[in-house]
Amino acid sequence: MNTPFLFKPEPIRLPQLLFVHTRSVGPGPNNDNTNPQKRLQQISWSIADDYGKTWSVCNHYLGDDNSGIPKRNDALAYYLQSPIEDNGQLATVLFALYLDLYRADMIIAHNLEYHLQAITREVTRLSLIIPSSFMPDNIQYVDLRVASAEFCNLDGKSSSPKYPTLAELYKCCVDKEYVSENDTLKDLEVSKSCYYFLKRKGCIR
C-alpha cells in the first residue's frame, strides 16, 4: 500500500521584538549620552513577540553605585540578572545584547536614540570588534516617544505635539501614574506595556 504524501508546513516565525532601556551617569545634561566621560550604570533588555509573549529578560547593573537598585529574585527560568564588576564582564554583556539584536526584527525603546548612544559609547570605549553602529542593517526602529506624540497630543512649545516622557506616555496609555525609581528594568516593563497599547490603537504598524 502506498504511503500517502503528508504535507509538513513550515513553522510560522513570529517577529522578534527587542525592548531596551539604559541608565547612564556622568557629566553633562541627562538627555545627552554622547559625552565619553559618561558611563553605563544599568542596562535591561527583553525579547518578546508581537502578541506580548516574553521570551527572555536580561538586567545588568554596574559598579558599586547601584545599592538602590532592587536585587530581584524573580522565579523565571528566562530571567538573567548580574552585577558587572569590570570591563571584561561589560564586553560580554554587550556581545550578548548584540547577538539578541542580530536575531531581532525590531528594536523598541522610549527615547531610542538616547539608549543607542549609551550602548555605542561603551562599545567605542571598549574598542569592541563589532560594527561601530552596533545595529544590524535589516532591523526596524520604533521610538515610543515619536510613535505616541500624536496620540498623547500634549501641548508643546511649537505647533506640533511634544514628545511625552515615559511617565506621561504611561498615563496616556493606561491612565495610571508612573514614578520612575531609576530602575531600567521597571522602565523597560512600562515601555513594553505602552508599546502593546499603541499597537492595539494602530499607532504602530
Side-chain angles (χ1 to χ4, degrees):
M1 186 174 71
N2 293 331
T3 303
F5 175 76
L6 298 178
F7 173 70
K8 184 178 180 181
E10 291 292 326
I12 298 174
R13 181 185 180 277
L14 296 175
Q16 298 291 294
L17 313 179
L18 189 144
F19 296 86
V20 67
H21 208 91
T22 67
R23 180 161 62 99
S24 297
V25 293
N30 289 335
N31 61 353
D32 178 13
N33 243 343
T34 59
N35 191 321
Q37 296 182 19
K38 282 195 172 183
R39 289 292 176 269
L40 194 66
Q41 192 171 40
Q42 189 184 9
I43 181 169
S44 305
W45 75 89
S46 174
I47 293 287
D49 65 28
D50 223 17
Y51 294 94
K53 171 70 175 178
T54 296
W55 298 106
S56 64
V57 181
C58 296
N59 180 45
H60 302 277
Y61 46 94
L62 291 77
D64 299 325
D65 298 325
N66 296 276
S67 56
I69 298 176
K71 303 300 185 290
R72 299 168 181 270
N73 294 310
D74 300 50
L76 299 173
Y78 56 73
Y79 187 88
L80 173 64
Q81 171 169 285
S82 70
I84 302 173
E85 298 175 354
D86 57 44
N87 287 337
Q89 290 179 342
L90 177 56
T92 300
V93 167
L94 293 175
F95 271 119
L97 173 59
Y98 183 72
L99 290 176
D100 277 346
L101 279 169
Y102 187 79
R103 291 189 287 263
D105 299 290
M106 183 183 295
I107 180 170
I108 304 159
H110 179 271
N111 198 354
L112 180 59
E113 183 180 6
Y114 174 88
H115 303 299
L116 294 183
Q117 286 174 347
I119 294 165
T120 302
R121 183 190 64 234
E122 297 297 340
V123 169
T124 302
R125 182 174 69 85
L126 298 175
S127 300
L128 299 182
I129 307 175
I130 53 180
S132 58
S133 68
F134 202 76
M135 300 301 299
D137 294 333
N138 60 343
I139 199 167
Q140 299 179 55
Y141 301 81
V142 174
D143 188 329
L144 295 176
R145 292 191 317 157
V146 178
S148 64
E150 189 172 331
F151 172 77
C152 292
N153 197 28
L154 301 176
D155 291 334
K157 295 180 179 179
S158 66
S159 58
S160 301
K162 84 177 189 74
Y163 292 151
T165 65
L166 185 57
E168 289 170 337
L169 175 57
Y170 190 68
K171 176 70 173 176
C172 289
C173 291
V174 301
D175 197 26
K176 292 182 180 179
E177 301 292 339
Y178 175 66
V179 179
S180 176
E181 299 177 6
N182 289 326
D183 182 355
T184 65
L185 188 58
K186 287 186 176 180
D187 291 343
L188 181 79
E189 293 303 322
V190 166
S191 297
K192 288 170 68 176
S193 298
C194 293
Y195 169 82
Y196 289 114
F197 178 89
L198 294 170
K199 180 80 174 177
R200 291 193 299 271
K201 289 293 184 180
C203 301
I204 298 172
R205 302 189 184 279

